[in-house]
Amino acid sequence: MNKLILILLAGLILITLSCKHRNRLKADETFLSEEILKEEAEKAEASQTFSAEVGKSTGESFMRMEEDRSPDATNPPIVLDILSGRENPQKVKVSDLFSEIKYIKLEHLPDSAFYERGIDVLISDKFIYGYSMNGIAQYSLDGYFIKYICKNEAFYTKMDRGIMITSEQYNMFIGATNPKLKDGKLYYKYENRPAKSGYLMEYDELAGMETLSLPVQQENSQNIRGLGNPVMDLLANTRNYASNEMMTSPTEINPLGNGLVGFSMRGKPMTRQSNFVTVTSLSGDTVCSMKDYDPINNYSKSVGRGAEDAYNYYLDGFLHLRQVYNDTIYRLIPPNQLIPKYILDFGEFGIESSLEGMDPGFSLENKFVPEDFLETSRFIFFTYTKNYPCPNTAKNGTLKYSRLIYNKKVRKIDYIYVDEQCMVTSGSSWPSAPDLNIENDLDDNPFFWPVDITSSGLPFSAISGKILFEKFESRDFAGYKNLSDKDFVIALYK
């Protein structure tokens, strides 16, 4: 431990610039001498050594570290000038972006209602995972169903245009949410709300032939009805971030490796302050609390607006985060470094504070609101809106969508379209962005904007037969004939 303490003290001494509040650094405005470059390298080495020590620890009390938001000396943050190019949107061909598209049709599940409210997809180097409010299913990379990782007990009331979940139904939930892939493992949050218990589960993809048969009572004290092992009790320690937040607010649980976990908020609490990110050990010790420098203070109204969501994504093994109503996207290097990577510059059209975003009395009709941000090894696919997306703004026509692609190699923004009307699918009142102005010259199938990346960084889309018919009035796609509403095809872009 003496060696560890010396390393921590050295790291604290080396903390330099702080990228707090809404700092808009320009990429060409940051210059560091050779001496500071050396210090930055030493600080990164100290951070890695600390993470390794945490991974070896068993039940120790950890010394807390102060957050460090210093820019990376060799890769200063890149300012994305969102206003540039809005006057000149381009028609783009798929061959300008990718060389191949692989299509994978997912096999139908034994439980036909598993995806009745839609599907989200994760793709590792070995498997495909489909998940919904009804649980998590595992497929081969060719789309064949293998097994359920977890089947949820989820209760809701079907409506004409969506679903409704009462507080009683919410409190009856048992199952898996918030799945993440990290270092060859699938992590998910397992909750038993009637029993007031919750765990971070870790499922090793190399576990092999383990299968799930429900209902099941595993031979352990947790009675967990899902595959994998509980690696963190989310409610055992009432003084840590996870315990205080898990049951009362939408919290992202982000495995960081080496025995560390990062907890971050998807939105902005109205009545209390919360950290931007809190890094803890698996035993529940807080290692670093990274502050929210734009909190909501003394909010007196009974309702608040959730105009946008936070970003949490993995790329090249690192967690990336953006807080709501903030212009900076950070790369998190455990245990305490938030390195600013991108700055979204909306100029005069940006939301200036969390209060502006939260307060429904402040009009966002002429403000730009970030929506989907997808970073790959070569591109950034970015969607934003004028006004915030909700059924009312879609209905009254004030909601507009814009899309752009940023080429990371040449550092150039190409707009795909600007201020287009939203799309609202049948059976839902929620608006979405239209797919326009990208011609698929590789195989002549309709092109769908990528929604996520695989563990190896390849972008992909998940297309349902229902959406295909509503957008193109056809159920034939990528060689698959007469797709049903319950069919899902993954388009993997290489």
Side-chain angles (χ1 to χ4, degrees), residues 23 40 71 83 116 149 210 286 297 299 390 426 468 473 488:
N23 187 13
E40 291 288 333
L83 300 185
E116 68 177 348
I149 301 298
E210 185 183 16
T286 298
N297 291 316
Y299 190 73
C390 75
S426 64
L468 187 70
E473 297 185 350
F488 296 95

Side-chain angles (χ1 to χ4, degrees), residues 173-408:
F173 176 85
I174 300 174
T177 61
N178 199 211
K180 302 286 178 71
L181 291 169
K182 171 71 174 170
D183 299 334
K185 294 180 175 64
L186 174 73
Y187 294 86
Y188 61 92
K189 179 169 67 174
Y190 182 86
E191 294 181 74
N192 185 329
R193 292 176 188 158
K196 293 182 171 56
S197 64
Y199 303 93
L200 175 62
M201 300 293 294
E202 178 185 86
Y203 174 74
D204 191 336
E205 292 192 301
L206 299 179
M209 301 307 294
E210 185 183 16
T211 59
L212 180 65
S213 176
L214 294 179
V216 65
Q217 291 288 326
Q218 292 189 354
E219 294 182 2
N220 56 43
S221 59
Q222 295 95 343
N223 283 334
I224 295 170
R225 306 177 190 180
L227 298 183
N229 298 308
V231 294
M232 185 177 191
D233 189 330
L234 297 175
L235 293 175
N237 188 343
T238 57
R239 63 185 171 83
N240 71 32
Y241 181 90
S243 303
N244 294 335
E245 301 291 354
M246 193 195 84
M247 304 296 279
T248 59
S249 57
T251 305
E252 287 284 340
I253 305 177
N254 306 291
L256 303 176
N258 292 319
L260 295 177
V261 179
F263 294 88
S264 60
M265 298 299 296
R266 295 176 192 164
K268 180 80 69 168
M270 286 194 304
T271 59
R272 56 186 168 73
Q273 294 189 18
S274 180
N275 292 321
F276 173 23
V277 189
T278 300
V279 176
T280 78
S281 67
L282 291 177
S283 60
D285 290 296
T286 298
V287 179
C288 183
S289 298
M290 302 172 183
K291 297 178 181 179
D292 176 5
Y293 291 104
D294 182 28
I296 300 290
N297 291 316
N298 302 319
Y299 190 73
S300 59
K301 296 185 178 180
S302 59
V303 295
R305 173 177 56 195
E308 59 183 55
D309 291 323
Y311 298 155
N312 293 270
Y313 65 93
Y314 291 91
L315 181 66
D316 299 328
F318 290 101
L319 176 66
H320 294 65
L321 307 105
R322 170 188 164 268
Q323 193 175 18
V324 290
Y325 315 120
N326 193 279
D327 55 11
T328 306
I329 297 168
Y330 295 93
R331 182 172 73 249
L332 175 60
I333 298 181
N336 69 322
Q337 288 184 279
L338 277 175
I339 298 179
K341 187 175 182 181
Y342 297 108
I343 296 171
L344 303 175
D345 187 357
F346 287 107
E348 62 182 306
F349 299 99
I351 298 176
E352 293 300 323
S353 69
S354 58
L355 183 60
E356 288 186 1
M358 177 74 70
D359 188 349
F362 185 88
S363 175
L364 299 179
E365 186 169 342
N366 292 312
K367 292 290 186 177
F368 293 154
V369 181
E371 193 177 67
D372 296 325
F373 186 97
L374 180 64
E375 182 183 4
T376 74
S377 58
R378 294 187 294 161
F379 302 104
I380 291 173
F381 297 85
F382 183 45
T383 303
Y384 68 91
T385 61
K386 180 183 286 186
N387 212 342
Y388 73 104
C390 75
N392 287 336
T393 58
K395 185 177 180 179
N396 64 30
T398 61
L399 177 64
K400 308 288 185 178
Y401 277 86
S402 298
R403 272 183 170 167
L404 62 87
I405 298 174
Y406 174 73
N407 188 316
K408 293 166 65 174

Side-chain angles (χ1 to χ4, degrees), residues 401-403 417 420-423 432-436 449 471:
Y401 277 86
S402 298
R403 272 183 170 167
Y417 58 77
E420 291 285 347
Q421 290 286 348
C422 65
M423 174 183 175
S432 61
D435 284 316
L436 299 171
W449 192 257
K471 285 189 174 183

